[in-house]
Amino acid sequence: MSDGELVGIVLVSHSAEVAASVAALAKGLAGGGVDVPVAPAGGTEGGGFGTSSELIAAAAASVDRGAGVAVLTDLGSAVLTVKALLAEGDELPDHTRLVDAPFVEGAIAAVVTASTGADLAAVEAAAAEAYTYRKV
């Protein structure tokens, strides 16, 4: 399997550190096999808290291998920023999808599933299913 067959994943957080840490955690837990393209898009260009259309678009372009891009977000305005980019239609790669999933658990499920060569729909479904993970 080549990287050209893998779904790319973008993790959008209001914090650059949170986005980078969740990306590292998800990649680490996915194992050392296939290297799924994952990019964090956290904070603003100036390093502050918030979200940036430019950082999100650049991250999506960097992970696009033609199999689609799954975008997971942390909080409300990150969702709104991604929705605005999707509505513009030309800022994100074709077949980019905002995934409704918990940020950490969903990211891990998405990366693990993408590492199997699954398509975008399967990656989205796995991430969304993370809502059902019970802790007690």
Side-chain angles (χ1 to χ4, degrees):
M1 173 185 338
S2 72
D3 281 352
E5 300 170 0
L6 298 176
V7 171
I9 298 169
V10 175
L11 302 175
V12 181
S13 173
H14 284 69
S15 162
E17 292 83 3
V18 169
S21 294
V22 172
L25 177 66
K27 287 182 69 107
L29 293 178
V34 176
D35 191 21
V36 175
V38 179
T44 63
E45 288 90 347
F49 291 115
T51 56
S52 161
S53 296
E54 292 79 14
L55 291 177
I56 295 166
S62 78
V63 301
D64 181 24
R65 304 291 185 274
V69 176
V71 181
L72 286 83
T73 62
D74 63 358
L75 302 169
S77 65
V79 174
L80 296 175
T81 303
V82 174
K83 283 183 174 181
L85 285 167
L86 288 167
E88 289 174 21
D90 61 350
E91 296 295 317
L92 297 175
D94 289 341
H95 308 294
T96 296
R97 194 173 294 173
L98 174 60
V99 176
D100 184 12
F103 192 61
V104 175
E105 294 92 336
I108 294 165
V111 173
V112 168
T113 303
S115 74
T116 69
D119 66 10
L120 182 57
V123 170
E124 178 179 28
E129 187 178 339
Y131 273 129
T132 67
Y133 297 172
R134 303 286 309 183
K135 297 183 180 160
V136 292

PDB file of all heavy atoms in Angstrom, residues 51-85:
ATOM      1  N   THR A  51      -8.426  29.773  15.735  1.00  0.00           N
ATOM      2  CA  THR A  51      -8.324  28.936  14.540  1.00  0.00           C
ATOM      3  C   THR A  51      -7.981  29.823  13.349  1.00  0.00           C
ATOM      4  O   THR A  51      -8.276  31.013  13.342  1.00  0.00           O
ATOM      5  CB  THR A  51      -9.627  28.161  14.256  1.00  0.00           C
ATOM      6  OG1 THR A  51     -10.706  29.074  14.153  1.00  0.00           O
ATOM      7  CG2 THR A  51      -9.918  27.151  15.347  1.00  0.00           C
ATOM      8  N   SER A  52      -7.364  29.216  12.360  1.00  0.00           N
ATOM      9  CA  SER A  52      -6.896  29.958  11.196  1.00  0.00           C
ATOM     10  C   SER A  52      -7.282  29.226   9.920  1.00  0.00           C
ATOM     11  O   SER A  52      -6.864  28.080   9.714  1.00  0.00           O
ATOM     12  CB  SER A  52      -5.372  30.102  11.262  1.00  0.00           C
ATOM     13  OG  SER A  52      -4.839  30.408  10.004  1.00  0.00           O
ATOM     14  N   SER A  53      -8.044  29.892   9.076  1.00  0.00           N
ATOM     15  CA  SER A  53      -8.404  29.321   7.782  1.00  0.00           C
ATOM     16  C   SER A  53      -7.166  28.955   6.986  1.00  0.00           C
ATOM     17  O   SER A  53      -7.108  27.903   6.343  1.00  0.00           O
ATOM     18  CB  SER A  53      -9.243  30.316   6.968  1.00  0.00           C
ATOM     19  OG  SER A  53     -10.454  30.581   7.604  1.00  0.00           O
ATOM     20  N   GLU A  54      -6.166  29.829   7.036  1.00  0.00           N
ATOM     21  CA  GLU A  54      -4.939  29.590   6.274  1.00  0.00           C
ATOM     22  C   GLU A  54      -4.202  28.353   6.763  1.00  0.00           C
ATOM     23  O   GLU A  54      -3.728  27.542   5.963  1.00  0.00           O
ATOM     24  CB  GLU A  54      -4.023  30.813   6.333  1.00  0.00           C
ATOM     25  CG  GLU A  54      -4.563  32.026   5.593  1.00  0.00           C
ATOM     26  CD  GLU A  54      -5.635  32.803   6.384  1.00  0.00           C
ATOM     27  OE1 GLU A  54      -5.797  32.578   7.616  1.00  0.00           O
ATOM     28  OE2 GLU A  54      -6.328  33.625   5.763  1.00  0.00           O
ATOM     29  N   LEU A  55      -4.088  28.182   8.084  1.00  0.00           N
ATOM     30  CA  LEU A  55      -3.407  27.007   8.623  1.00  0.00           C
ATOM     31  C   LEU A  55      -4.177  25.729   8.304  1.00  0.00           C
ATOM     32  O   LEU A  55      -3.578  24.682   7.997  1.00  0.00           O
ATOM     33  CB  LEU A  55      -3.204  27.139  10.135  1.00  0.00           C
ATOM     34  CG  LEU A  55      -2.212  28.198  10.599  1.00  0.00           C
ATOM     35  CD1 LEU A  55      -2.171  28.267  12.126  1.00  0.00           C
ATOM     36  CD2 LEU A  55      -0.823  27.937  10.036  1.00  0.00           C
ATOM     37  N   ILE A  56      -5.498  25.796   8.372  1.00  0.00           N
ATOM     38  CA  ILE A  56      -6.319  24.616   8.069  1.00  0.00           C
ATOM     39  C   ILE A  56      -6.176  24.230   6.600  1.00  0.00           C
ATOM     40  O   ILE A  56      -5.973  23.064   6.266  1.00  0.00           O
ATOM     41  CB  ILE A  56      -7.798  24.874   8.435  1.00  0.00           C
ATOM     42  CG1 ILE A  56      -7.941  25.060   9.948  1.00  0.00           C
ATOM     43  CG2 ILE A  56      -8.684  23.734   7.932  1.00  0.00           C
ATOM     44  CD1 ILE A  56      -9.267  25.646  10.380  1.00  0.00           C
ATOM     45  N   ALA A  57      -6.264  25.212   5.710  1.00  0.00           N
ATOM     46  CA  ALA A  57      -6.138  24.934   4.276  1.00  0.00           C
ATOM     47  C   ALA A  57      -4.759  24.367   3.949  1.00  0.00           C
ATOM     48  O   ALA A  57      -4.637  23.411   3.167  1.00  0.00           O
ATOM     49  CB  ALA A  57      -6.412  26.196   3.460  1.00  0.00           C
ATOM     50  N   ALA A  58      -3.714  24.918   4.546  1.00  0.00           N
ATOM     51  CA  ALA A  58      -2.352  24.420   4.298  1.00  0.00           C
ATOM     52  C   ALA A  58      -2.197  22.992   4.819  1.00  0.00           C
ATOM     53  O   ALA A  58      -1.579  22.147   4.157  1.00  0.00           O
ATOM     54  CB  ALA A  58      -1.328  25.345   4.942  1.00  0.00           C
ATOM     55  N   ALA A  59      -2.756  22.716   5.990  1.00  0.00           N
ATOM     56  CA  ALA A  59      -2.669  21.366   6.558  1.00  0.00           C
ATOM     57  C   ALA A  59      -3.400  20.365   5.659  1.00  0.00           C
ATOM     58  O   ALA A  59      -2.891  19.276   5.388  1.00  0.00           O
ATOM     59  CB  ALA A  59      -3.251  21.350   7.971  1.00  0.00           C
ATOM     60  N   ALA A  60      -4.582  20.748   5.182  1.00  0.00           N
ATOM     61  CA  ALA A  60      -5.348  19.855   4.310  1.00  0.00           C
ATOM     62  C   ALA A  60      -4.599  19.576   3.016  1.00  0.00           C
ATOM     63  O   ALA A  60      -4.523  18.430   2.554  1.00  0.00           O
ATOM     64  CB  ALA A  60      -6.733  20.441   4.024  1.00  0.00           C
ATOM     65  N   ALA A  61      -4.010  20.600   2.441  1.00  0.00           N
ATOM     66  CA  ALA A  61      -3.234  20.398   1.212  1.00  0.00           C
ATOM     67  C   ALA A  61      -2.043  19.483   1.459  1.00  0.00           C
ATOM     68  O   ALA A  61      -1.692  18.660   0.612  1.00  0.00           O
ATOM     69  CB  ALA A  61      -2.766  21.750   0.666  1.00  0.00           C
ATOM     70  N   SER A  62      -1.439  19.590   2.637  1.00  0.00           N
ATOM     71  CA  SER A  62      -0.235  18.805   2.934  1.00  0.00           C
ATOM     72  C   SER A  62      -0.521  17.323   3.122  1.00  0.00           C
ATOM     73  O   SER A  62       0.374  16.500   2.953  1.00  0.00           O
ATOM     74  CB  SER A  62       0.476  19.360   4.168  1.00  0.00           C
ATOM     75  OG  SER A  62      -0.165  18.973   5.366  1.00  0.00           O
ATOM     76  N   VAL A  63      -1.759  16.958   3.488  1.00  0.00           N
ATOM     77  CA  VAL A  63      -2.086  15.536   3.712  1.00  0.00           C
ATOM     78  C   VAL A  63      -2.886  14.923   2.571  1.00  0.00           C
ATOM     79  O   VAL A  63      -3.174  13.727   2.595  1.00  0.00           O
ATOM     80  CB  VAL A  63      -2.833  15.308   5.047  1.00  0.00           C
ATOM     81  CG1 VAL A  63      -1.994  15.787   6.223  1.00  0.00           C
ATOM     82  CG2 VAL A  63      -4.215  15.956   5.043  1.00  0.00           C
ATOM     83  N   ASP A  64      -3.247  15.719   1.590  1.00  0.00           N
ATOM     84  CA  ASP A  64      -4.075  15.225   0.479  1.00  0.00           C
ATOM     85  C   ASP A  64      -3.265  14.292  -0.419  1.00  0.00           C
ATOM     86  O   ASP A  64      -2.271  14.698  -1.012  1.00  0.00           O
ATOM     87  CB  ASP A  64      -4.609  16.399  -0.330  1.00  0.00           C
ATOM     88  CG  ASP A  64      -5.488  15.967  -1.482  1.00  0.00           C
ATOM     89  OD1 ASP A  64      -6.063  14.865  -1.414  1.00  0.00           O
ATOM     90  OD2 ASP A  64      -5.597  16.742  -2.450  1.00  0.00           O
ATOM     91  N   ARG A  65      -3.703  13.035  -0.477  1.00  0.00           N
ATOM     92  CA  ARG A  65      -3.072  12.052  -1.356  1.00  0.00           C
ATOM     93  C   ARG A  65      -4.059  11.548  -2.413  1.00  0.00           C
ATOM     94  O   ARG A  65      -3.816  10.550  -3.055  1.00  0.00           O
ATOM     95  CB  ARG A  65      -2.548  10.853  -0.552  1.00  0.00           C
ATOM     96  CG  ARG A  65      -1.576  11.185   0.576  1.00  0.00           C
ATOM     97  CD  ARG A  65      -0.242  11.685   0.045  1.00  0.00           C
ATOM     98  NE  ARG A  65       0.726  11.884   1.123  1.00  0.00           N
ATOM     99  CZ  ARG A  65       0.838  12.979   1.852  1.00  0.00           C
ATOM    100  NH1 ARG A  65       0.040  14.011   1.626  1.00  0.00           N
ATOM    101  NH2 ARG A  65       1.751  13.084   2.795  1.00  0.00           N
ATOM    102  N   GLY A  66      -5.215  12.236  -2.505  1.00  0.00           N
ATOM    103  CA  GLY A  66      -6.207  11.885  -3.500  1.00  0.00           C
ATOM    104  C   GLY A  66      -7.302  10.955  -3.014  1.00  0.00           C
ATOM    105  O   GLY A  66      -8.263  10.710  -3.731  1.00  0.00           O
ATOM    106  N   ALA A  67      -7.186  10.439  -1.783  1.00  0.00           N
ATOM    107  CA  ALA A  67      -8.194   9.520  -1.241  1.00  0.00           C
ATOM    108  C   ALA A  67      -9.181  10.236  -0.323  1.00  0.00           C
ATOM    109  O   ALA A  67     -10.051   9.610   0.261  1.00  0.00           O
ATOM    110  CB  ALA A  67      -7.511   8.381  -0.485  1.00  0.00           C
ATOM    111  N   GLY A  68      -9.035  11.546  -0.189  1.00  0.00           N
ATOM    112  CA  GLY A  68      -9.908  12.320   0.676  1.00  0.00           C
ATOM    113  C   GLY A  68      -9.178  12.789   1.910  1.00  0.00           C
ATOM    114  O   GLY A  68      -8.120  12.268   2.265  1.00  0.00           O
ATOM    115  N   VAL A  69      -9.762  13.791   2.551  1.00  0.00           N
ATOM    116  CA  VAL A  69      -9.198  14.362   3.766  1.00  0.00           C
ATOM    117  C   VAL A  69     -10.302  14.435   4.813  1.00  0.00           C
ATOM    118  O   VAL A  69     -11.368  15.000   4.564  1.00  0.00           O
ATOM    119  CB  VAL A  69      -8.619  15.777   3.512  1.00  0.00           C
ATOM    120  CG1 VAL A  69      -8.126  16.406   4.808  1.00  0.00           C
ATOM    121  CG2 VAL A  69      -7.509  15.724   2.469  1.00  0.00           C
ATOM    122  N   ALA A  70     -10.037  13.846   5.977  1.00  0.00           N
ATOM    123  CA  ALA A  70     -10.948  13.906   7.115  1.00  0.00           C
ATOM    124  C   ALA A  70     -10.452  14.996   8.050  1.00  0.00           C
ATOM    125  O   ALA A  70      -9.283  15.001   8.429  1.00  0.00           O
ATOM    126  CB  ALA A  70     -10.986  12.561   7.838  1.00  0.00           C
ATOM    127  N   VAL A  71     -11.344  15.927   8.406  1.00  0.00           N
ATOM    128  CA  VAL A  71     -10.984  17.028   9.302  1.00  0.00           C
ATOM    129  C   VAL A  71     -11.753  16.865  10.601  1.00  0.00           C
ATOM    130  O   VAL A  71     -12.981  16.788  10.599  1.00  0.00           O
ATOM    131  CB  VAL A  71     -11.311  18.395   8.667  1.00  0.00           C
ATOM    132  CG1 VAL A  71     -10.909  19.528   9.606  1.00  0.00           C
ATOM    133  CG2 VAL A  71     -10.630  18.549   7.312  1.00  0.00           C
ATOM    134  N   LEU A  72     -11.015  16.776  11.712  1.00  0.00           N
ATOM    135  CA  LEU A  72     -11.612  16.700  13.035  1.00  0.00           C
ATOM    136  C   LEU A  72     -11.292  17.984  13.775  1.00  0.00           C
ATOM    137  O   LEU A  72     -10.180  18.515  13.649  1.00  0.00           O
ATOM    138  CB  LEU A  72     -11.065  15.504  13.817  1.00  0.00           C
ATOM    139  CG  LEU A  72     -11.579  14.138  13.376  1.00  0.00           C
ATOM    140  CD1 LEU A  72     -10.788  13.617  12.198  1.00  0.00           C
ATOM    141  CD2 LEU A  72     -11.525  13.160  14.521  1.00  0.00           C
ATOM    142  N   THR A  73     -12.252  18.477  14.552  1.00  0.00           N
ATOM    143  CA  THR A  73     -12.099  19.755  15.246  1.00  0.00           C
ATOM    144  C   THR A  73     -12.333  19.588  16.740  1.00  0.00           C
ATOM    145  O   THR A  73     -12.973  18.627  17.172  1.00  0.00           O
ATOM    146  CB  THR A  73     -13.089  20.792  14.708  1.00  0.00           C
ATOM    147  OG1 THR A  73     -14.409  20.325  14.950  1.00  0.00           O
ATOM    148  CG2 THR A  73     -12.886  21.037  13.226  1.00  0.00           C
ATOM    149  N   ASP A  74     -11.833  20.565  17.511  1.00  0.00           N
ATOM    150  CA  ASP A  74     -12.052  20.489  18.952  1.00  0.00           C
ATOM    151  C   ASP A  74     -13.326  21.209  19.398  1.00  0.00           C
ATOM    152  O   ASP A  74     -14.204  20.593  19.970  1.00  0.00           O
ATOM    153  CB  ASP A  74     -10.820  20.938  19.741  1.00  0.00           C
ATOM    154  CG  ASP A  74     -10.403  22.391  19.547  1.00  0.00           C
ATOM    155  OD1 ASP A  74     -11.037  23.120  18.756  1.00  0.00           O
ATOM    156  OD2 ASP A  74      -9.424  22.804  20.195  1.00  0.00           O
ATOM    157  N   LEU A  75     -13.460  22.491  19.142  1.00  0.00           N
ATOM    158  CA  LEU A  75     -14.559  23.279  19.697  1.00  0.00           C
ATOM    159  C   LEU A  75     -15.296  24.087  18.627  1.00  0.00           C
ATOM    160  O   LEU A  75     -14.839  24.171  17.490  1.00  0.00           O
ATOM    161  CB  LEU A  75     -14.014  24.244  20.757  1.00  0.00           C
ATOM    162  CG  LEU A  75     -13.277  23.604  21.929  1.00  0.00           C
ATOM    163  CD1 LEU A  75     -12.569  24.677  22.750  1.00  0.00           C
ATOM    164  CD2 LEU A  75     -14.211  22.792  22.785  1.00  0.00           C
ATOM    165  N   GLY A  76     -16.371  24.733  19.048  1.00  0.00           N
ATOM    166  CA  GLY A  76     -17.307  25.424  18.179  1.00  0.00           C
ATOM    167  C   GLY A  76     -16.771  26.253  17.039  1.00  0.00           C
ATOM    168  O   GLY A  76     -17.136  26.050  15.885  1.00  0.00           O
ATOM    169  N   SER A  77     -15.907  27.225  17.315  1.00  0.00           N
ATOM    170  CA  SER A  77     -15.478  28.096  16.222  1.00  0.00           C
ATOM    171  C   SER A  77     -14.552  27.375  15.246  1.00  0.00           C
ATOM    172  O   SER A  77     -14.462  27.765  14.081  1.00  0.00           O
ATOM    173  CB  SER A  77     -14.828  29.375  16.744  1.00  0.00           C
ATOM    174  OG  SER A  77     -13.638  29.093  17.434  1.00  0.00           O
ATOM    175  N   ALA A  78     -13.889  26.311  15.685  1.00  0.00           N
ATOM    176  CA  ALA A  78     -13.103  25.506  14.749  1.00  0.00           C
ATOM    177  C   ALA A  78     -14.032  24.841  13.738  1.00  0.00           C
ATOM    178  O   ALA A  78     -13.740  24.783  12.544  1.00  0.00           O
ATOM    179  CB  ALA A  78     -12.281  24.455  15.495  1.00  0.00           C
ATOM    180  N   VAL A  79     -15.175  24.369  14.232  1.00  0.00           N
ATOM    181  CA  VAL A  79     -16.185  23.776  13.347  1.00  0.00           C
ATOM    182  C   VAL A  79     -16.665  24.826  12.342  1.00  0.00           C
ATOM    183  O   VAL A  79     -16.742  24.554  11.138  1.00  0.00           O
ATOM    184  CB  VAL A  79     -17.381  23.227  14.164  1.00  0.00           C
ATOM    185  CG1 VAL A  79     -18.493  22.741  13.247  1.00  0.00           C
ATOM    186  CG2 VAL A  79     -16.926  22.121  15.105  1.00  0.00           C
ATOM    187  N   LEU A  80     -16.966  26.004  12.834  1.00  0.00           N
ATOM    188  CA  LEU A  80     -17.462  27.065  11.953  1.00  0.00           C
ATOM    189  C   LEU A  80     -16.428  27.459  10.907  1.00  0.00           C
ATOM    190  O   LEU A  80     -16.771  27.715   9.743  1.00  0.00           O
ATOM    191  CB  LEU A  80     -17.868  28.286  12.776  1.00  0.00           C
ATOM    192  CG  LEU A  80     -19.036  28.070  13.745  1.00  0.00           C
ATOM    193  CD1 LEU A  80     -19.264  29.322  14.586  1.00  0.00           C
ATOM    194  CD2 LEU A  80     -20.298  27.668  13.007  1.00  0.00           C
ATOM    195  N   THR A  81     -15.161  27.491  11.285  1.00  0.00           N
ATOM    196  CA  THR A  81     -14.101  27.846  10.339  1.00  0.00           C
ATOM    197  C   THR A  81     -14.002  26.800   9.232  1.00  0.00           C
ATOM    198  O   THR A  81     -13.898  27.142   8.049  1.00  0.00           O
ATOM    199  CB  THR A  81     -12.750  28.006  11.066  1.00  0.00           C
ATOM    200  OG1 THR A  81     -12.887  28.997  12.090  1.00  0.00           O
ATOM    201  CG2 THR A  81     -11.647  28.404  10.104  1.00  0.00           C
ATOM    202  N   VAL A  82     -14.039  25.522   9.608  1.00  0.00           N
ATOM    203  CA  VAL A  82     -13.968  24.460   8.598  1.00  0.00           C
ATOM    204  C   VAL A  82     -15.209  24.486   7.712  1.00  0.00           C
ATOM    205  O   VAL A  82     -15.099  24.353   6.486  1.00  0.00           O
ATOM    206  CB  VAL A  82     -13.783  23.079   9.260  1.00  0.00           C
ATOM    207  CG1 VAL A  82     -13.856  21.962   8.217  1.00  0.00           C
ATOM    208  CG2 VAL A  82     -12.453  23.015  10.002  1.00  0.00           C
ATOM    209  N   LYS A  83     -16.389  24.696   8.301  1.00  0.00           N
ATOM    210  CA  LYS A  83     -17.614  24.778   7.494  1.00  0.00           C
ATOM    211  C   LYS A  83     -17.531  25.925   6.493  1.00  0.00           C
ATOM    212  O   LYS A  83     -17.961  25.791   5.349  1.00  0.00           O
ATOM    213  CB  LYS A  83     -18.841  24.949   8.387  1.00  0.00           C
ATOM    214  CG  LYS A  83     -19.280  23.673   9.063  1.00  0.00           C
ATOM    215  CD  LYS A  83     -20.557  23.904   9.872  1.00  0.00           C
ATOM    216  CE  LYS A  83     -21.082  22.619  10.442  1.00  0.00           C
ATOM    217  NZ  LYS A  83     -22.331  22.830  11.212  1.00  0.00           N
ATOM    218  N   ALA A  84     -16.974  27.061   6.911  1.00  0.00           N
ATOM    219  CA  ALA A  84     -16.828  28.196   5.996  1.00  0.00           C
ATOM    220  C   ALA A  84     -15.884  27.851   4.854  1.00  0.00           C
ATOM    221  O   ALA A  84     -16.148  28.189   3.688  1.00  0.00           O
ATOM    222  CB  ALA A  84     -16.326  29.428   6.756  1.00  0.00           C
ATOM    223  N   LEU A  85     -14.790  27.166   5.160  1.00  0.00           N
ATOM    224  CA  LEU A  85     -13.851  26.760   4.110  1.00  0.00           C
ATOM    225  C   LEU A  85     -14.510  25.790   3.137  1.00  0.00           C
ATOM    226  O   LEU A  85     -14.316  25.891   1.920  1.00  0.00           O
ATOM    227  CB  LEU A  85     -12.607  26.112   4.727  1.00  0.00           C
ATOM    228  CG  LEU A  85     -11.619  27.064   5.383  1.00  0.00           C
ATOM    229  CD1 LEU A  85     -10.608  26.295   6.219  1.00  0.00           C
ATOM    230  CD2 LEU A  85     -10.914  27.901   4.330  1.00  0.00           C
TER     231      LEU A  85
END
